[in-house]
Amino acid sequence: TLHGVKGEAPGIRIALDTARASTGGIAGRLTLHLEEMEPTPQVLDLLPDEAREILADWVEGRRISSDALTIDARADGSLRFDGDLVLLAPQDDTSNNEAARGGLEMRPLLLSAADATDRRTLSGRILFRGFSFGDDIPLEDLDGEARLEFLHLGDDPAARGTLRIERAKLLDLTVEDATIPVDWKQGILRADRIAGTVAEGRLTGRLILHTREPVAYEGSARLEAFRVEAVREDLAPTGPPVSGLGNAWIEFQNRSGETRDLTARGGLTIRDGNLGDLPVAANIFAFFAEVLAVDPPPRFERADADFTLQGEVVTFRRLYLAGPLFDMPGRGTIDLGGYADLVF
């Protein structure tokens, strides 16, 4: 048994409060101080087996830093993590690697001893600071916290908890003050009461994810009283100026996880807007401004659209633009590659 032992190597300092060496790494209480180091198998081998199994997936292919990460491997086989961990891209990385990155704080995170069926359970609280999950989850630059009531590990995982978002990017849209309760059991993950703020509007929604093969998902979302100019700022900050107050809804499903199998239907309304500089309307207004000598030129103030998505093509069953001087009904399609075929 070791007490008060300290060691140091490039990028890492380790302090052993009370620890003992074993074939499964160091057991006991240890604190790591890390500075942009790339964790080698030799470094990971110092950790208790259970800690190594959890951290190895997080840090693979990353550099890591920590002001202080304490790991307490207890005599009953349980573990306690307390402290911070920052995931960074490898030095001189030019591969556009989309693995997870950003800061985590475990306050604390507990891993139970194995039960009679050899199953372990995670519970606790994790803070996120500018965290991005990578390719699998389109949530980036997350500031918030996850409260994990339980996460049963093993062949039949299950979990219950809540993700609270202070601010994040979801599919390039800024999400604020959001709450996502999650319940996962028997291969189905449910988030039934999603609520938050997007583009100054109120977002509500639900998501069901089938986590066993074949992977599938379905859900719905509604965004009420959002500001069009806030959406533009997120999605097209260098695009033409537009404004207005909008409402939108969508229902979607996918039975394979592949983009080609995604289907959806939804609707959009915009009121009290200035939509005249949208590309579809700009030439029309330039013509009216010159012929009618109107100053300022007329503008579209309202928009309505109903759409479906199938086979990677969005079909507008109804597309309607209106202003003080005229109305313009339309229809057409836009594929997910950006090719548009619209008729007014």
Side-chain angles (χ1 to χ4, degrees):
T1 301
L2 306 174
H3 300 275
V5 176
K6 296 182 179 180
E8 187 170 343
I12 180 171
R13 289 183 292 119
I14 184 170
L16 308 179
D17 295 340
T18 301
R20 62 188 181 279
S22 71
T23 56
I26 296 175
R29 180 182 173 90
L30 59 94
T31 300
L32 301 172
H33 305 272
L34 310 170
E35 186 175 349
E36 297 189 11
M37 67 160 297
E38 296 188 15
T40 63
Q42 291 78 8
V43 170
L44 293 175
D45 283 344
L46 294 174
L47 303 178
D49 284 342
E50 297 80 5
R52 183 167 61 251
E53 290 171 6
I54 290 176
L55 293 177
D57 288 340
W58 292 2
V59 303
E60 183 179 4
R62 306 281 87 192
R63 289 177 299 146
I64 57 176
S65 289
S66 176
D67 290 335
L69 175 59
T70 298
I71 303 173
D72 189 0
R74 299 172 176 177
D76 65 357
S78 65
L79 281 173
R80 175 187 172 111
F81 299 87
D82 204 334
D84 70 287
L85 186 65
V86 180
L87 309 183
L88 305 164
Q91 197 167 14
D92 302 323
D93 180 26
T94 59
S95 64
N96 293 319
N97 192 330
E98 292 300 327
R101 65 187 187 278
L104 299 167
E105 295 180 27
M106 291 159 268
R107 296 298 185 211
L109 186 64
L110 307 175
L111 176 67
S112 74
D115 63 14
T117 63
D118 203 33
R119 184 173 67 175
R120 292 177 175 271
T121 298
L122 274 174
S123 62
R125 179 169 171 251
I126 303 176
L127 306 182
F128 300 97
R129 297 290 178 256
F131 194 82
S132 299
F133 288 88
D135 283 337
D136 293 337
I137 302 176
L139 194 61
E140 299 181 303
D141 302 326
L142 168 63
D143 291 331
E145 69 169 315
R147 291 185 178 268
L148 194 59
E149 294 183 38
F150 63 83
L151 170 57
H152 299 317
L153 305 176
D155 295 335
D156 187 21
R160 181 181 301 136
T162 302
L163 175 64
R164 302 187 188 279
I165 298 174
E166 297 173 13
R167 184 181 178 88
K169 288 284 189 178
L170 176 62
L171 300 173
D172 294 326
L173 287 170
T174 300
V175 180
E176 298 176 302
D177 302 323
T179 301
I180 305 175
V182 173
D183 188 85
W184 183 23
K185 58 185 176 183
Q186 297 179 344
I188 299 177
L189 186 151
R190 297 179 181 272
D192 285 329
R193 299 184 306 279
I194 300 171
T197 299
V198 174
E200 302 180 29
R202 188 60 179 166
L203 172 70
T204 56
R206 59 186 291 270
L207 174 67
I208 299 175
L209 175 63
H210 300 260
T211 58
R212 296 173 182 168
E213 294 294 340
V215 174
Y217 59 85
E218 60 191 79
S220 62
R222 183 173 296 274
L223 183 58
E224 299 177 315
F226 70 88
R227 301 300 312 182
V228 174
E229 51 269 46
V231 174
R232 170 192 172 275
E233 186 65 27
D234 277 342
L235 301 184
T238 61
V242 292
S243 63
L245 189 66
N247 294 288
W249 66 274
I250 188 170
E251 297 175 349
F252 56 88
Q253 64 177 4
N254 190 318
R255 296 310 180 198
S256 73
E258 299 292 336
T259 303
R260 64 176 180 270
D261 294 322
L262 175 63
T263 62
R265 66 186 186 98
L268 169 71
T269 63
I270 297 174
R271 296 290 182 268
D272 303 321
N274 180 1
L275 309 177
D277 285 337
L278 288 172
V280 71
N283 291 337
I284 299 170
F285 288 146
F287 170 78
F288 275 91
E290 182 173 339
V291 172
L292 302 178
V294 177
D295 187 22
R299 65 184 188 183
F300 288 126
E301 297 175 338
R302 304 186 306 279
D304 293 273
D306 292 324
F307 64 87
T308 59
L309 168 63
Q310 189 166 11
E312 302 186 56
V313 175
V314 179
T315 300
F316 290 96
R317 298 179 299 169
R318 184 172 69 97
L319 184 59
Y320 185 77
L321 300 173
L325 297 182
F326 44 77
D327 299 342
M328 286 185 60
R331 55 185 171 80
T333 61
I334 299 178
D335 66 28
L336 297 188
Y339 178 78
D341 182 12
L342 300 174
V343 177
F344 290 90

